[in-house]
Structure formats: C-alpha cells, structure tokens
Amino acid sequence: MGAAFSTPLWDPFTHDDRNDPLARLGRLRQSKNGPVSPSTSNSSLASSQREPSPSPGSHPPPATPLTSSVLMGSNAPPLYEHALVGDWESLIKRIAAHPKEARYQDKCKNTPLHVSCRRQPPTDVVAALIRAHPAAVAATTLDGLTPIHFACYCGSDPLTVQSILGHLEKQ
C-alpha cells in the first residue's frame, strides 16, 4: 500500500495554484493526462506529482529536475536561494559581501525577507536582511502580504516578530 498524503486545508503560499511554482512543476510533469487546470485542488496535485509507472517494454519519461528557475526565476541571486532553503549561515556570509541582493523580488514580489520569514529565521538573520534593505519590512507580495504576515503565520520566534514590528513602526 502507498503512503497517504495529507495536505493542509488552506496554505497562504499555494492557495492560488496559478502562482504556485510547485503546482506548475506538477503540471509540467504530467505526461499522459494532459495539462492540469489552475483550479485543481492541492490533493490532486500531490497525486499528479508522482511519477507514472512505465508500461512494459517502454522507457520511463526523462526526469524533470526541480531547478531554481522554476522556483525562483532564472535570475534569482544566491542570497534569495539561501533564504528559500533556510541556509542561515550562508545567508549571513552572502549578505555581508553582497547586501544589494536583499533588494531582489521574485515573480510574486517576495523579497529574501519574505521568504526567510516562512522558515522561522533567527533574529540575527532578520536583522541582517532589514539592515541591507529596510524597505523590505513594508514590501507586499502580489497577494498583499508583508514579511510580518509570514513570520506570524509560520511560527517565528516572538523576538523575531517583535524585531520586524519595531522596524515596521519606524517607517
């Protein structure tokens, strides 16, 4: 028997499948069933992301790698990638050498601060990102969300939330 997949009832990052890069990847990996409509539920996408069983005598389709261009856009800086995966040590080193990378915005207008706040960042990471790009505290995504929304929803440390709020009040 296969493992059961559970998906949250509502996720602020993927509630609109048209803007969800992983859902787009799942639609790209569809081989025989044709394209998946944007209104497909998350549970359908979870099952559509599984590789189909090859038929006897046929070769499996080539694997589609999960590349940074699918998730972040083709020109995302390394700082954004470190924020996306929660590599805090590398992020701190990168921001010290390349602070302007903190100004990057992806296709949905997420900054490295937005992305970091989804992964419960340490307070020093948030402080470094804010020092490099203070306007990111009030920056909104296409959905109208700010870093404080992500920090609160994703369970960041209260000191991190207070730090963001303190910088937000200064603006």
Side-chain angles (χ1 to χ4, degrees):
M1 296 218 157
F5 290 94
S6 64
T7 57
L9 294 176
W10 184 81
D11 185 349
F13 315 121
T14 60
H15 71 279
D16 183 356
D17 288 338
R18 291 172 294 172
N19 293 328
D20 179 15
L22 293 177
R24 281 197 315 257
L25 179 64
R27 289 191 295 272
L28 290 173
R29 295 180 80 171
Q30 288 281 328
S31 60
K32 296 180 183 177
N33 298 335
V36 177
S37 69
S39 62
T40 302
S41 70
N42 285 342
S43 61
S44 298
L45 288 173
S47 64
S48 72
Q49 289 177 351
R50 287 183 242 140
E51 290 294 324
S53 301
S55 47
S58 69
H59 297 286
T64 305
L66 185 62
T67 62
S68 61
S69 63
V70 172
L71 290 175
M72 302 174 277
S74 59
N75 61 348
L79 178 72
Y80 184 89
E81 185 174 351
H82 296 317
L84 188 68
V85 298
D87 185 357
W88 307 131
E89 185 178 322
S90 298
L91 187 144
I92 293 289
K93 289 177 184 176
R94 184 72 187 183
I95 205 164
H98 304 279
K100 289 189 178 187
E101 288 184 8
R103 297 180 183 175
Y104 174 79
Q105 289 185 329
D106 66 13
K107 296 173 188 174
C108 296
K109 295 194 173 187
N110 289 295
T111 66
L113 182 60
H114 285 91
V115 175
S116 292
C117 287
R118 295 176 183 166
R119 298 193 147 274
Q120 300 143 358
T123 306
D124 61 330
V125 168
V126 170
L129 287 165
I130 293 172
R131 270 193 310 276
H133 184 47
V137 173
T140 58
T141 64
L142 289 178
D143 294 328
L145 301 173
T146 63
I148 195 69
H149 290 111
F150 295 116
C152 291
Y153 181 82
C154 296
S156 289
D157 183 79
L159 293 175
T160 302
V161 173
Q162 287 176 344
S163 172
I164 298 170
L165 284 173
H167 286 89
L168 192 57
E169 290 172 355
K170 292 178 184 177
Q171 290 190 347

